[in-house]
Amino acid sequence: MADALSVMPAAVLRNLSDKLYEKRKNAALDVEGIVKQLAVAGDHDKITAVINLLINEFTNSSQANHRKGGLIGLAAATVGLTSEAAQHLEQIVPPVLNSFSVQDSRVRYYACEALYNIAKVVRGDFIVFFNQIFDALCKLSADSDPNVQSAAHLLDRLVKDIVTESDQFSIEEFIPLLRERMNVLNPYVRQFLVGWITVLDSVPDIDMLGFLPDFLDGLFNMLSDSSLEIRQQADSALSEFLQEIKNSPSVDYGRMAEILVQRAASPDEFTRLTAITWINEFIKLGGDQLVPYYADILGAILPCISDKEEKIRVVARETNEELRAIKADPAEGFDIGAILSIARRQLSSEWESTRIEALHWISTLLNSHRPEVLSFLNDIFETLLKALSDPSDEVVLVVLEVHACIAKDPQHFRQLIVFLVHNFRVDNTLLEKRGALIIRRLCVLLDAERVYRELSTILEGESELDFASIMVQALNLILLTSSELAGLRHLLKQSLVNPAGRDLFLSLYSSWCHSPMAIISLCLIAQAYQHASSIIQSPVEEDINVKFLVQLDKLINLLETPIFAYLRLQLLEPGRYMWLLKALYGLLMLLPQQSKAFKILRTRLKTVPSNSFNGEQFKWMSGNSYPQIHHMRSGLQVSEDGDVDEDLQNVHNGINFASRLQQFEHMQQQHRMHAKSHTQSRYSSTSSTKEVQRPEEPRRSLPDISRPPSRSSRRGPGQLQL
């Protein structure tokens, strides 16, 4: 201190702390001259003493004017040292940096001015303090005083110039500092940071691209800033980096992909668009490197396919197709399980397009990696089944294609049909609204005969009889009306002449027994008219209820459709198709006379030409005798012989119709018992609730179902006993 006082006049020290700027400025010029003389003399000890005096008595003072004088004095000393200032920077710079945190804004302003003057003198030697200076500038960029901000901007530009021309700058030491501040929300700090990123990226010797993953997320975060200027600056910086990525032979796509995936889900539209655009470029440039990240990328793309912004949808779809086109192998890190998990999760998306693309991914994986996908089948199968209830028909059609692809294997085919029936059972609306669509599509994809045989096998043993009846009626309606099942109908028409048709008829018969109208329809298609007539005469009083008549009404209307044109044309030869005529008259007799269906069928039967009957046939029709039936390729032909070959009547092409009739009546008896049990249960429940005691009604004995019930009381003249 004594050495410093010996070279520093008292007047200089007094003026250095004066409240007037001009006096402090003049005192600073005196300090500059004193230090310059000492530097020429090489007396660095006294220079050190002077600097310590300025720090201890002025810069560290609690008096604002003393601080201001100390700061301007340190700057003046640095100017006086000129080329020799570097060896004293360890003394000079720290107290100036400490002044940036002083509450008085004027002190902060003079600190900026002092550091600016110091930096101009020392230039490159200044780099050793870069991190501390950067930290200070980062804070000053958001200073509450506009004058301080302005001074900080001037200092910032100077420091940038020094860094860009220096070969001492360490990007490795700087990046942690930058990364730490990238998520700051203050707009002034954000501008400051983007400015530094842009400047450093422009320096050829600084590899900012290699450190891009460290601050990429922060840049994307700025794209949603409320300030248009910041958004534009961040976008400009990102565009520049993306261009560099395209031109760079070595890029770490993986780390950045993780960031982009998160940003693709941003609530900000512009951020989503930028992120999905980057992902698109990454897949084009480094597809192989991204294999381990495919699942995450897919999770980002699929929601964007349904984005409300068209630009995002377009880029997302393009990206999705590019990703799907890349051939990857599990051995290369291609995680099929993870991708299936993402696709399964997206099947719950509220957006139809996303659900469809998720299904397309499952289908793509099935085609390219079938064994691996099937190993994860338990994880996705239930979700795929639930997708059959999707509100979108297009989604249902695509999910059916996926199911069909899975069901190429017999065990999975069986599993699909079983689960499908189960879903129909537990969700009545699914069968009602989507049953026809699902069954028809599966018939196209998996072969109609195969599907119907499996469904019939399952329904034959169905314990819930009401559901079985409804399901069979639905399947029967689809069989009778769908163009996709024309081949199946054609095969059934040959049931009496073709072994394949016979096998199909018998396969369906067992489950079709759940519904009288379904069995009658099946017999009419198979041209088993005699058996149809027997079925028509089998219902008892309790069977003919509203449901029965509704089904009968539907059948009558179906008889007028093109599908049954062959049957109507056969009525041109009533003598040849006597059993058909009798079956139709049987249906007519079951209908209420005032119903529309009765009038339709009666009108049809009135058009049957009577002149084609011979005498024996009139007798048969009136009940006096019955003809013998011969099996012909064109159908059933009535002969004029009066004798009946009973075995020939009961068995056609290996079909034992007597046994089939017994099977039908046995099933119908089960339905009657089930209906009675259900009614009694409901009655008991009602009685219990109302606490009403009613006398027990005498139970009616049930017929023996081990053999066909006798119908002699119903059999008219000429009717065959089967």
Side-chain angles (χ1 to χ4, degrees), residues 411-449:
Q411 70 272 25
H412 294 127
F413 173 79
R414 169 74 180 180
Q415 188 180 15
L416 168 63
I417 303 301
V418 168
F419 272 101
L420 188 60
V421 172
H422 170 73
N423 277 18
F424 285 147
R425 185 189 302 111
V426 299
D427 185 1
N428 292 331
T429 57
L430 177 63
L431 178 60
E432 179 183 347
K433 296 180 179 179
R434 287 285 166 69
L437 175 67
I438 292 171
I439 299 299
R440 289 169 60 186
R441 190 58 184 164
L442 282 180
C443 286
V444 171
L445 296 169
L446 291 173
D447 178 59
E449 183 177 351

Side-chain angles (χ1 to χ4, degrees), residues 218-481:
L219 281 175
F220 267 93
N221 201 26
M222 294 178 190
L223 291 176
S224 58
D225 195 276
S226 58
S227 167
L228 176 61
E229 185 178 358
I230 294 174
R231 292 200 302 272
Q232 290 176 338
Q233 288 178 348
D235 180 49
S236 177
L238 286 168
S239 299
E240 184 62 32
F241 278 118
L242 185 57
Q243 190 60 44
E244 291 178 30
I245 289 172
K246 293 179 182 179
N247 299 328
S248 176
S250 177
V251 178
D252 182 3
Y253 292 101
R255 284 182 62 196
M256 290 188 285
E258 295 176 353
I259 297 169
L260 297 174
V261 164
Q262 295 177 358
R263 289 299 169 182
S266 170
D268 179 68
E269 181 181 296
F270 186 56
T271 303
R272 293 198 307 276
L273 176 59
T274 307
I276 204 72
T277 302
W278 274 60
I279 292 174
N280 181 279
E281 294 294 340
F282 276 23
I283 292 173
K284 293 177 181 176
L285 298 168
D288 295 340
Q289 293 185 44
L290 294 172
V291 169
Y293 302 93
Y294 272 13
D296 293 335
I297 292 173
L298 182 62
I301 293 173
L302 290 178
C304 290
I305 286 175
S306 304
D307 199 278
K308 61 182 179 181
E309 174 57 42
E310 184 181 0
K311 292 180 181 178
I312 297 175
R313 294 198 303 270
V314 170
V315 178
R317 287 190 175 279
E318 178 185 335
T319 307
N320 184 56
E321 294 305 318
E322 290 170 351
L323 187 65
R324 191 154 46 202
I326 297 175
K327 305 300 180 183
D329 191 88
E332 301 171 353
F334 185 60
D335 193 340
I336 292 175
I339 292 178
L340 286 173
S341 179
I342 291 293
R344 177 181 58 80
R345 193 182 312 142
Q346 292 300 329
L347 287 178
S348 301
S349 168
E350 61 178 311
W351 306 109
E352 176 185 314
S353 299
T354 293
R355 299 197 299 274
I356 290 174
E357 287 306 319
L359 288 167
H360 282 157
W361 265 97
I362 296 175
S363 180
T364 298
L365 292 176
L366 274 168
N367 291 328
S368 57
H369 302 285
R370 183 178 181 83
E372 291 84 356
V373 173
L374 294 181
S375 68
F376 293 100
L377 189 59
N378 290 336
D379 298 333
I380 63 172
F381 197 68
E382 185 177 352
T383 304
L384 288 173
L385 285 170
K386 289 180 180 178
L388 292 171
S389 303
D390 195 277
S392 164
D393 284 349
E394 189 174 352
V395 171
V396 173
L397 291 175
V398 178
V399 79
L400 284 172
E401 292 180 7
V402 174
H403 277 300
C405 189
I406 295 172
K408 290 177 181 178
D409 299 329
Q411 70 272 25
H412 294 127
F413 173 79
R414 169 74 180 180
Q415 188 180 15
L416 168 63
I417 303 301
V418 168
F419 272 101
L420 188 60
V421 172
H422 170 73
N423 277 18
F424 285 147
R425 185 189 302 111
V426 299
D427 185 1
N428 292 331
T429 57
L430 177 63
L431 178 60
E432 179 183 347
K433 296 180 179 179
R434 287 285 166 69
L437 175 67
I438 292 171
I439 299 299
R440 289 169 60 186
R441 190 58 184 164
L442 282 180
C443 286
V444 171
L445 296 169
L446 291 173
D447 178 59
E449 183 177 351
R450 185 185 180 198
V451 171
Y452 261 70
R453 282 179 178 271
E454 192 65 42
L455 285 167
S456 180
T457 301
I458 295 170
L459 291 171
E460 181 182 354
E462 176 60 48
S463 58
E464 294 188 22
L465 297 181
D466 290 338
F467 164 72
S469 177
I470 294 172
M471 185 74 191
V472 165
Q473 290 167 16
L475 291 174
N476 184 64
L477 185 62
I478 296 169
L479 175 64
L480 295 179
T481 58

